[in-house]
Amino acid sequence: MSVSHQQSPRGPARTAPLPEPQHPSEQVGLSEPERGRTRLLTGWGRTAPTGARVHRPRTVEEAVAAVDAVRERGARGSIPRGLGRAYGDAAQNAGGTVLDATGLDRIRAIDLEASTVTCEAGVSLHRLMEVLLPLGRFVPVTPGTRYVTVGGAVGADIHGKNHHVSGSFSRHVVSLELLTADGRVRTLAPGDPLFDATAGGMGLTGLVLSVTLRLLPVETSWMTVDTERLPDLDTLLSRMTESDHRYRYSVAWIDLLARGPAAGRAVLTRGDHAPPAALPRHARRDPLAFRPPRLPPAPRGLPSGLLRTSTVGAFNRLWYHKAPRSRTGEPQRLASFFHPLDGVGHWNRIYGSAGFVQWQCVVGHEHDDALRRIVQRISRRSCPSFLAVLKRFGAADPGWLSFPRPGWTLALDLPAGLPGLGAFLDTLDEEVAAVQGRLYLAKDARMRPGLLPVMYPELERFRALRAELDPHGVFTSDLARRLGI
């Protein structure tokens, strides 16, 4: 079965009516920028704001004209931006131009026989789920939020709870259209050097215009979930190593404030897409319904000291002890399993006006000791992180600056105002670099540039291609300047 979509100013149309698309800015409470207006922008961590002219093209022609104007003006370049969910400064460009890709929001075609979708880069994963789940299809990879654009998913080469099975997002891209610095629109496929530079290239090779993506067939919008509570880090690592291969999705929440024998205690959650027979009786009448819960947004003006060691410690103890020692086969709604925080608009406000820093590393499976040292350091420092997760990565992805490699990835968030935070994270960075691990560029807000070549061995190859493709820096960003990419 093939379903074609005709482009229109209001989004896709088809023989059977689709839900009216909601503009992604409305989904997260942002205001649509005026064309060319200078705005202060931050990442999701709400640190280091910088000002840039924001343009929001709605067609390929408008995008080409915007890039041509940047090239002719020759000042401070431009960078694509989606829904602003990169945590640091990857989608900021101080004194230059930011290309808001959310205006490119049309779903062009769905081919159910091939199980693919072709859509413009500003379509969000949330929108794809709204349209595709009723058709029995799901995105092949989703991070912890569905409010990311498809173009951003390629630029950051996002990963999810299923990397050990499915790899990163770009591994499922059949082809993409890329607008490069010379104003050309190029069609790229995996294996093309420019494709591999774009996957994980943080928008520095050009503006992704559209993507054709392979989809995952599903029978329901529910998950079947196994949960267990594990007493320490060694038990957690052993359990995940021995049995993760039996699950499509796996993630562990870790209590990084626990000390002594309990250091690294965790709640391990694993699951797969549920068959109809596993659903609660009330859900079987409409097994593919997708109705994510929505709670009131986090209020403005919360104090920055709300998340401190005492309050986060109390939360962590409660979260750990309320988890079941072992529970199997629990049906969970898809949104609850993948995106529990998406129900709370602007949840990043809970860190207060100072914002927060997200730190994510990967170290090889052969370097378990480095992971243990990192967890011990964080525990001894009493870092108040309540969103700390551990996952296992499978085979490395082909993107030259893609983050995943085989090993363990640990992600945690910390209030930006913690005394001595920068120096402390520098010590963790050194621990990671010493074992040829790496930090995730889509999360980074403060890494020292000297560590980048150690962490990303294809960096020089990326720099060479970028210099040849874009010698005048039409595409650049605060992140690129800070790290010398």
Side-chain angles (χ1 to χ4, degrees), residues 72-85:
E72 291 163 6
R73 192 164 52 241
R76 302 297 286 180
S78 63
I79 193 68
R81 183 181 177 95
L83 289 169
R85 290 301 180 107

Side-chain angles (χ1 to χ4, degrees), residues 227-229 323-328:
T227 304
E228 57 184 318
R229 197 171 66 197
R325 291 184 182 275
S326 180
R327 180 173 60 202
T328 61

Side-chain angles (χ1 to χ4, degrees), residues 73-157:
R73 192 164 52 241
R76 302 297 286 180
S78 63
I79 193 68
R81 183 181 177 95
L83 289 169
R85 290 301 180 107
Y87 284 75
D89 52 3
Q92 296 170 226
N93 185 27
T97 298
V98 166
L99 300 172
D100 178 353
T102 61
L104 302 169
D105 61 356
R106 296 157 187 84
I107 296 176
R108 295 180 180 173
I110 298 170
D111 187 334
L112 294 182
E113 291 181 359
S115 208
T116 62
V117 62
T118 300
C119 64
E120 293 180 338
V123 174
S124 69
L125 298 191
H126 173 87
R127 175 64 181 151
L128 286 183
M129 292 176 197
E130 283 185 319
V131 173
L132 295 171
L133 273 167
L135 301 175
R137 299 295 186 273
F138 187 58
V139 295
V141 172
T142 177
T145 175
R146 60 186 179 273
Y147 294 119
V148 296
T149 61
V150 170
V154 171
D157 203 11

Side-chain angles (χ1 to χ4, degrees), residues 27-273:
Q27 295 167 0
V28 291
L30 303 173
S31 60
E32 182 180 330
E34 297 175 6
R35 181 173 178 82
R37 180 183 177 185
T38 297
R39 295 182 62 210
L40 277 179
L41 299 171
T42 72
W44 192 245
R46 303 177 72 208
T47 60
T50 58
R53 291 181 300 276
V54 178
H55 292 267
R56 185 171 178 262
R58 293 179 177 270
T59 65
V60 171
E61 292 75 18
E62 289 182 7
V64 171
V67 171
D68 286 346
V70 171
R71 185 177 62 253
E72 291 163 6
R73 192 164 52 241
R76 302 297 286 180
S78 63
I79 193 68
R81 183 181 177 95
L83 289 169
R85 290 301 180 107
Y87 284 75
D89 52 3
Q92 296 170 226
N93 185 27
T97 298
V98 166
L99 300 172
D100 178 353
T102 61
L104 302 169
D105 61 356
R106 296 157 187 84
I107 296 176
R108 295 180 180 173
I110 298 170
D111 187 334
L112 294 182
E113 291 181 359
S115 208
T116 62
V117 62
T118 300
C119 64
E120 293 180 338
V123 174
S124 69
L125 298 191
H126 173 87
R127 175 64 181 151
L128 286 183
M129 292 176 197
E130 283 185 319
V131 173
L132 295 171
L133 273 167
L135 301 175
R137 299 295 186 273
F138 187 58
V139 295
V141 172
T142 177
T145 175
R146 60 186 179 273
Y147 294 119
V148 296
T149 61
V150 170
V154 171
D157 203 11
I158 60 171
H159 57 271
K161 299 175 174 69
N162 59 339
H163 190 277
H164 64 293
V165 172
S166 302
S168 65
F169 190 86
S170 293
R171 197 181 294 185
H172 304 272
V173 172
V174 177
S175 65
L176 61 85
E177 291 179 318
L178 182 72
L179 173 58
T180 51
D182 56 7
R184 290 177 55 192
V185 176
R186 306 169 192 243
T187 300
L188 307 174
D192 185 310
L194 185 51
F195 181 100
D196 292 343
T198 300
M202 304 308 298
L204 297 173
T205 61
L207 172 64
V208 175
L209 297 171
S210 71
V211 171
T212 297
L213 181 68
R214 279 189 298 271
L215 302 171
L216 179 68
V218 296
E219 297 180 277
T220 74
S221 61
W222 288 69
M223 307 295 295
T224 301
V225 181
D226 293 353
T227 304
E228 57 184 318
R229 197 171 66 197
L230 300 171
D232 55 58
L233 183 62
D234 284 345
T235 305
L236 171 65
L237 299 184
S238 176
R239 189 63 52 88
M240 295 177 77
T241 300
E242 291 168 358
S243 55
D244 261 7
H245 65 278
R246 298 203 297 265
Y247 298 85
R248 182 180 292 273
Y249 303 99
S250 175
V251 64
W253 169 87
I254 298 184
D255 182 0
L256 290 176
L257 286 173
R259 293 188 175 190
R265 65 183 180 181
V267 178
L268 176 59
T269 307
R270 298 183 286 188
D272 210 332
H273 296 277

Side-chain angles (χ1 to χ4, degrees), residues 281-424:
R281 188 173 300 276
H282 67 83
R284 295 179 188 177
R285 286 175 293 181
D286 192 2
L288 289 165
F290 180 60
R291 303 184 187 96
R294 293 189 66 84
L295 301 172
R300 297 178 184 271
L302 290 172
S304 294
L306 182 65
L307 297 181
R308 53 188 183 272
T309 301
S310 59
T311 56
V312 173
F315 170 86
N316 285 3
R317 288 189 294 274
L318 176 64
W319 191 259
Y320 178 76
H321 288 292
K322 86 175 187 65
R325 291 184 182 275
S326 180
R327 180 173 60 202
T328 61
E330 179 195 13
Q332 288 187 13
R333 295 182 185 274
L334 185 147
S336 300
F337 180 79
F338 287 109
H339 314 120
L341 286 175
D342 277 350
V344 182
H346 299 290
W347 64 260
N348 55 346
R349 291 176 181 167
I350 65 175
Y351 294 87
S353 60
F356 71 102
V357 173
Q358 176 111 166
W359 185 87
Q360 184 170 1
C361 74
V362 58
V363 298
H365 289 122
E366 68 277 18
H367 296 297
D368 290 1
D369 287 347
L371 178 65
R372 292 183 180 90
R373 288 193 298 271
I374 289 168
V375 169
Q376 289 166 0
R377 282 176 181 263
I378 296 168
S379 175
R380 288 197 299 267
R381 180 68 162 67
S382 295
C383 292
S385 176
F386 75 99
L387 290 176
V389 297
L390 183 77
K391 297 190 291 285
R392 288 179 72 241
F393 280 161
D397 298 292
W400 295 351
L401 298 187
S402 291
F403 169 64
R405 51 155 294 182
W408 302 101
T409 179
L410 175 68
L412 58 143
D413 59 339
L414 295 167
L418 285 178
L421 178 61
F424 174 69

